[in-house]
Amino acid sequence: MTVYEARIGRYYEDFVVGDVYKHPFGRTISEADNTWFTLLTMNTNQNHFNAHYAARAPAGKVIVNSGLTVAIVLGMSVIDISQNAELNLGWDEIRLTHPVFAGDTLYAESKVLDKRESRSRPYAGVVTCRTRGLNQDGDEVMSWRRAVLVYKRDSAQDRHHFPEARTGPL
């Protein structure tokens, strides 16, 4: 019998500059998603939750909170870019290029721009990507550059975190 460790994502060695990852999951944003996020983050701009108010603005309807759309697109990229990361090092050049509305479905893709060994952490490397979010029509709704500290394949930091069952092996 072979027991496989719980794993998903890529390690530093797996990244190749120029590679593009089309992240596997899309996400349709509901009105409830937008309202909850807007209220939880205490955003008081009525364009995000007051349909009567937003109808009189240039977009003509409620616009999804950009903090929510950034969080969703970032989350979509984790499976391919930062699942095996220690931490994010930073985001640059964040651009919100097209409004997002309730009912829109977001998708994301990332391109590896650079990679280098970490100078201070020998068990990891820095991977820099450009990520963009697309709506269901293929309109780019946002983009950014992100640097992530990703574990190397042989690092001990993300090993053996799965607990042993008290009742013994399966």
Side-chain angles (χ1 to χ4, degrees), residues 21-41:
Y21 302 108
K22 293 184 179 231
H23 308 303
F25 304 110
R27 172 66 156 77
T28 302
I29 300 177
S30 71
E31 184 177 345
D33 294 331
N34 182 52
T35 301
W36 275 102
F37 186 89
T38 299
L39 295 174
L40 286 170
T41 58

Side-chain angles (χ1 to χ4, degrees), residues 7-131:
R7 293 251 184 267
I8 194 168
R10 291 176 172 75
Y11 289 96
Y12 175 75
E13 296 87 346
D14 299 324
F15 290 96
V16 175
V17 172
D19 280 0
V20 173
Y21 302 108
K22 293 184 179 231
H23 308 303
F25 304 110
R27 172 66 156 77
T28 302
I29 300 177
S30 71
E31 184 177 345
D33 294 331
N34 182 52
T35 301
W36 275 102
F37 186 89
T38 299
L39 295 174
L40 286 170
T41 58
M42 299 177 62
N43 185 327
T44 59
N45 186 314
Q46 294 187 72
N47 281 304
H48 299 309
F49 58 84
N50 181 334
H52 178 255
Y53 180 90
R56 297 168 52 194
K61 57 184 173 179
V62 170
I63 298 173
V64 172
N65 186 317
S66 58
L68 175 60
T69 58
V70 168
I72 289 172
V73 170
L74 174 64
M76 290 176 176
S77 72
V78 168
I79 195 168
D80 291 310
I81 305 302
S82 57
Q83 184 72 45
N84 295 322
E86 179 178 352
L87 46 85
N88 285 298
L89 299 174
W91 289 270
D92 294 306
E93 303 171 21
I94 298 173
R95 302 287 183 264
L96 306 172
T97 53
H98 193 279
V100 176
F101 302 103
D104 282 352
T105 300
L106 298 180
Y107 297 89
E109 60 185 358
S110 298
K111 181 177 185 176
V112 180
L113 302 176
D114 187 44
K115 69 180 264 190
R116 67 170 177 79
E117 304 269 336
S118 171
R119 293 189 266 292
S120 60
R121 294 175 173 91
Y123 56 83
V126 177
V127 176
T128 303
C129 295
R130 178 178 185 265
T131 297

